Amino acid sequence: MSNPKFVNSYHYHLWTDALHARALARQARNRWDRGTYVRWCVVTAWTVLEIACQEATGVKDISYSFKKNLDSALTALNLPPLDWGSGTWQRVRTLQETRKGYMHRFLEENDLFVAASTADQAIEATREAIREIYLHCQRMVPAWVGDDEDRGWDHGDLYANCVLLRAGASESDERCARIYLLREGREELCEVLPPDIDPTPYVDEIEKSIVAPTNEIRVYRGLHIVLSRALRMRGN
């Protein structure tokens, strides 16, 4: 089962889009769907890389004439040039050409039926380049770039909704805090606490252990919500 993704930035959100597209490309059952997901992955991964280069250098106008502008940004920072002829940055040039083919050129129809490995290569090249550009600019590499997981299609696996009833707690006692998880518009009772107990530490622990996509944790006393915590997770 996939780990939860607490997406805390726009940049990470786009990265999860690219990972999701790659997962769907791997799972696709026909070449039409596979091509769609591969193209989505390539285009999104390239966008993630452009933003990373802008953030690492502090220059916002890198996207157009990418290589020229990135080189100029590094020169202005008195940093050594990148090696575009081999290794990571050569793979970046290949990714850029692939992306340009999908976005700006009139390809033959057969060129749109691409293998899922193209999505794999896009993710690998993007991840390597993001790490390298931040290090090259002496900046901290964002932790989210290490995320390499997405479950793709969610087939709605069956699961049991277990309720933890703490000692001294009762669902019918309005003094007891009842903790619910909000999933797809449906509240699922998760835990019931004894009277007059602060639910905050229990909510903290539940948040750490959540795996299935969850929109919100709600705590009720009687009919009133006394604590609400929205969650930003991939899939919710």
Side-chain angles (χ1 to χ4, degrees):
M1 182 177 291
S2 298
N3 293 323
K5 295 182 189 292
F6 293 96
V7 180
N8 55 11
S9 71
Y10 167 79
H11 207 176
Y12 187 14
H13 192 139
L14 289 181
W15 181 243
T16 65
D17 287 351
L19 294 177
H20 188 58
R22 181 189 61 175
L24 296 182
R26 290 171 171 175
Q27 296 172 3
R29 297 182 179 180
N30 63 73
R31 62 179 188 155
W32 294 85
D33 288 347
R34 184 179 302 109
T36 298
Y37 301 137
V38 169
R39 293 192 298 275
W40 175 23
C41 179
V42 167
V43 171
T44 306
W46 183 258
T47 301
V48 173
L49 176 56
E50 286 186 344
I51 294 172
C53 291
Q54 291 176 173
E55 289 183 347
T57 61
V59 176
K60 299 302 181 185
D61 298 320
I62 285 178
S63 298
Y64 185 75
S65 297
F66 176 78
K67 178 179 178 297
K68 176 183 176 182
N69 290 335
L70 183 53
D71 284 342
S72 296
L74 295 177
T75 299
L77 293 170
N78 295 316
L79 293 171
L82 301 173
D83 179 4
W84 295 96
S86 63
T88 296
W89 296 99
Q90 185 178 51
R91 288 190 286 275
V92 166
R93 294 303 301 275
T94 299
L95 175 61
Q96 183 182 27
E97 289 303 306
T98 302
R99 182 255 185 191
K100 282 182 178 178
Y102 297 149
M103 296 294 293
H104 302 298
R105 296 174 184 152
F106 297 99
L107 300 177
E108 296 293 332
E109 186 177 25
N110 284 338
D111 294 330
L112 302 179
F113 297 122
V114 286
S117 58
T118 300
D120 293 325
Q121 292 161 9
I123 293 295
E124 290 168 5
T126 301
R127 177 182 288 108
E128 290 175 8
I130 288 174
R131 285 174 172 158
E132 287 197 15
I133 194 62
Y134 277 93
L135 293 173
H136 196 83
C137 295
Q138 301 174 4
R139 300 280 301 277
M140 183 177 294
V141 178
W144 53 257
V145 77
D147 184 1
D148 193 39
E149 179 183 16
D150 191 279
R151 63 185 174 185
W153 288 111
D154 183 353
H155 296 292
D157 296 336
L158 296 177
Y159 62 94
N161 180 33
C162 299
V163 179
L164 176 59
L165 193 66
R166 298 282 181 176
S170 169
E171 289 186 49
S172 60
D173 189 337
E174 293 192 356
R175 297 173 302 160
C176 295
R178 304 186 315 281
I179 304 175
Y180 288 84
L181 304 181
L182 182 64
R183 291 171 172 161
E184 298 182 348
R186 181 182 66 253
E187 288 182 340
E188 300 174 0
L189 182 60
C190 174
E191 191 167 337
V192 184
L193 306 179
D196 305 320
I197 293 292
D198 179 9
T200 304
Y202 297 88
V203 170
D204 292 340
E205 289 302 313
I206 290 170
E207 182 177 350
K208 292 176 185 177
S209 65
I210 289 175
V211 174
T214 303
N215 299 89
E216 184 181 344
I217 303 174
R218 292 177 180 170
V219 181
Y220 285 85
R221 290 192 194 275
L223 299 177
H224 302 287
I225 297 176
V226 296
L227 191 155
S228 175
R229 184 174 299 176
L231 304 179
R232 297 187 65 193
M233 297 175 62
R234 182 79 198 187
N236 66 13

